[in-house]
Amino acid sequence: MAASTPPTVFPASAVPQAPEDPLFGLMAAYRKDTFDKKVDLGIGAYRDDDAKPWVLPVVKKADEILRNDPNLNHEYLPIAGLADFTSAAAKLMLGADSPALQQQRVTSVQTISGTGAVHLGALFLAKFYPYPDKTVYFSAPTWANHNQIFSNVHIPIKVYQYFSAETKGLDFRGMLDTIERAAEGSIILLHACAHNPTGVDPTRDQWKEIAQVIRQKRHFPFFDCAYQGFASGDVNRDAWAVRYFVEQGFELCIAQSFAKNLGLYGERAGCFHFVASPGADASSTVSRVASQLAILQRSEISNPPAYGARIASLVLNDAGLFAEWEANLRTMSGRIIDMRRQLRAKLEALDTPGSWEHITDQIGMFSFTGLTEAQVLNIRLDAHVYMTRNGRISMASLPLSLALPNASSTGTALADELVCVRAQAGLNSKNVEYVAQAFDRAVRAR
């Protein structure tokens, strides 16, 4: 007689069922929806006007070059990654004439996109940041994964004020006050540009004030940069805040992603950069930090993936391909800016209650609409338009041309004149009127 099978050593009391990731849960709900006009505004990826993924033309060229390279192989990369890629990524982020690069105060490690870079930085700080009561401060709100990443390495989390629900802009005084009250030596996580999820960025003068307070309190800045070049269309403009902090002599770290700005979503190409302060021990600091980052990387992934890094390296290191990439960036960012104008125009033509200037004041892939959670859920039930519960929508699928809406279309039922749209991911010229009218109904129903 066979022995009875023992129970699992991982019962629910030891391993409880984890909640579903909200964003991926939203995507799953969208996929299950059979409504033929459903719209997904939660997706954080660029789409063309037909709601299709857009492979950047420059990436297609780089891919062709790689495939025709007789020396291409599948050997391991070094632990720190492809050197041609990481050095070019550092120049892109800091500027080729950066004093930190010229003085060799930077060490860079290739990571699993921006997520891996944030994780590697958090892991390093958890192990080596010398303040015994280390705490990280995030903006309220921030990218949801920031919380999970830092929680997993057991760094306590607090928040600083950031988004004003009243103005739908930056709560600058609240931000500064919180950072000023934070315990000396806190870790301050900052979005370099195109803040996710709000699309609200400080002005340059405001960045200078932020830097002053961080210096006074001896805080440690940690920049997360996922949208360089994608926000404004200008890689230098989008890197201004990071470069300013470096020029001011801050010691800091940076998480850098090439998912959005090169469209390498699934290739997971990113970098983590540590910048030492310009003291006499800078060289020693960089050497020691690099050695520990290599050990952390070795224990987690050993060697980063090669393909995306090779694509990015080709684009970043070839003058012709780089110029074409800049043109591709202007195409994407320009269309997103135009989409913001179109959506605002639709809502204002419908005379939708409230002010909608924030749609065009914000920047980057996402817009924080100001819709309440109840309105968001109402829109999903009424029109099958999916967005995150906090009212964030993706602006990354854009129109080529668009007529103004029929301002009389404000009824509570789906009107006959709603544009005929098929199920689509992202906002575009084929569904923007439908989406605007769904917003209008939800706002009026409050």
Side-chain angles (χ1 to χ4, degrees):
M1 182 176 179
S4 60
T5 303
T8 178
V9 298
F10 300 105
S13 58
V15 185
Q17 182 69 40
E20 185 176 45
D21 181 275
L23 184 57
F24 286 91
L26 183 73
M27 293 167 62
Y30 170 80
R31 286 193 296 268
K32 291 178 182 177
D33 193 332
T34 59
F35 188 65
D36 63 347
K37 296 182 178 120
K38 65 181 180 179
V39 181
D40 178 11
L41 299 182
I43 187 168
Y46 184 85
R47 294 291 182 261
D48 65 16
D49 202 47
D50 292 316
K52 301 296 183 184
W54 191 54
V55 180
L56 274 63
V58 71
V59 169
K60 289 183 177 180
K61 286 187 178 180
D63 184 61
E64 187 71 15
I65 292 170
L66 271 184
R67 287 191 292 107
N68 290 313
D69 182 355
N71 297 315
L72 182 67
N73 58 55
H74 299 285
E75 294 295 300
Y76 290 123
L77 292 180
I79 292 173
L82 185 66
D84 287 347
F85 166 58
T86 56
S87 61
K91 289 178 183 177
L92 180 75
M93 188 76 261
L94 302 174
D97 59 350
S98 169
L101 290 174
Q102 293 173 352
Q103 298 161 14
Q104 298 182 326
R105 294 189 282 111
V106 183
T107 185
S108 303
V109 178
Q110 183 185 331
T111 58
I112 307 297
S113 200
T115 303
V118 174
H119 170 69
L120 183 62
L123 193 62
F124 172 79
L125 292 170
K127 189 170 184 180
F128 296 108
Y129 193 57
Y131 284 79
D133 298 322
K134 62 176 76 74
T135 299
V136 63
Y137 278 77
F138 301 147
S139 61
T142 192
W143 180 48
N145 218 13
H146 284 149
N147 290 280
Q148 296 176 144
I149 290 170
F150 278 84
S151 293
N152 284 345
V153 298
H154 309 294
I155 294 181
I157 294 167
K158 293 184 179 180
V159 299
Y160 56 81
Q161 297 301 311
Y162 194 84
F163 184 76
S164 167
E166 181 180 354
T167 67
K168 300 180 179 63
L170 179 64
D171 180 2
F172 183 58
R173 296 322 315 174
M175 178 185 184
L176 279 189
D177 290 345
T178 310
I179 294 174
E180 192 167 21
R181 291 196 308 270
E184 182 175 298
S186 296
I187 301 160
I188 310 296
L189 193 141
L190 301 161
H191 297 234
C193 64
H195 182 274
N196 179 7
T198 69
V200 174
D201 287 349
T203 66
R204 291 188 178 185
D205 285 341
Q206 288 172 334
W207 274 120
K208 291 177 180 179
E209 289 191 59
I210 293 166
Q212 184 177 6
V213 172
I214 289 177
R215 182 181 296 284
Q216 289 171 351
K217 293 304 298 280
R218 300 181 184 273
H219 296 325
F220 183 82
F222 189 148
F223 279 96
D224 188 359
C225 185
Y227 302 99
Q228 186 181 2
F230 194 93
S232 69
D234 184 331
V235 294
N236 296 312
R237 178 179 175 183
D238 291 346
W240 187 89
V242 174
R243 294 178 185 181
Y244 177 77
F245 272 66
V246 172
E247 289 167 3
Q248 296 303 303
F250 279 92
E251 191 159 61
L252 53 81
C253 59
I254 308 156
Q256 182 183 27
S257 170
F258 289 89
K260 307 297 193 300
N261 57 13
L262 270 171
L264 296 174
Y265 302 100
E267 306 306 334
R268 315 311 289 147
C271 274
F272 174 78
H273 308 285
F274 176 88
V275 182
S277 58
D281 59 348
S283 178
S284 170
T285 300
V286 166
S287 176
R288 289 183 285 103
V289 169
S291 71
Q292 294 295 345
L293 289 172
I295 290 175
L296 295 175
Q297 176 101 313
R298 173 67 167 141
S299 68
E300 297 227 331
I301 65 170
S302 284
N303 315 82
Y307 178 75
R310 286 171 172 157
I311 291 288
S313 179
L314 281 172
V315 173
L316 296 176
N317 287 296
D318 181 279
L321 293 177
F322 189 89
E324 182 171 350
W325 178 49
E326 289 183 303
N328 292 168
L329 287 170
R330 288 191 292 271
T331 295
M332 291 190 291
S333 62
R335 283 180 166 184
I336 289 174
I337 291 169
D338 187 49
M339 185 73 257
R340 290 181 178 279
R341 295 192 189 104
Q342 302 287 0
L343 178 59
R344 176 182 169 183
K346 289 284 186 183
L347 291 166
E348 290 179 343
L350 289 166
D351 200 23
T352 304
S355 172
W356 298 97
E357 290 94 339
H358 60 281
I359 297 291
T360 52
D361 290 342
Q362 295 166 6
I363 191 170
M365 177 173 282
F366 300 110
S367 177
F368 222 47
T369 61
L371 294 169
T372 66
E373 182 174 337
Q375 290 168 339
V376 167
L377 296 177
N378 185 19
I379 289 169
R380 188 188 306 179
L381 290 172
D382 169 47
H384 302 257
V385 175
Y386 289 76
M387 69 191 82
T388 57
R389 289 176 177 266
N390 59 12
R392 187 199 79 171
I393 63 172
S394 173
M395 307 297 298
S397 186
L398 316 171
L400 299 177
S401 61
L402 189 64
L404 286 174
N406 181 347
S408 66
S409 302
T410 57
T412 58
L414 289 174
D416 291 339
E417 63 267 29
L418 285 176
V419 294
C420 181
V421 296
R422 65 181 184 277
Q424 295 185 39
L427 194 63
N428 56 57
S429 63
K430 299 176 177 66
N431 63 26
V432 67
E433 187 169 2
Y434 179 85
V435 169
Q437 291 185 0
F439 282 21
D440 183 78
R441 291 194 301 277
V443 172
R444 293 179 187 277
R446 62 183 176 182

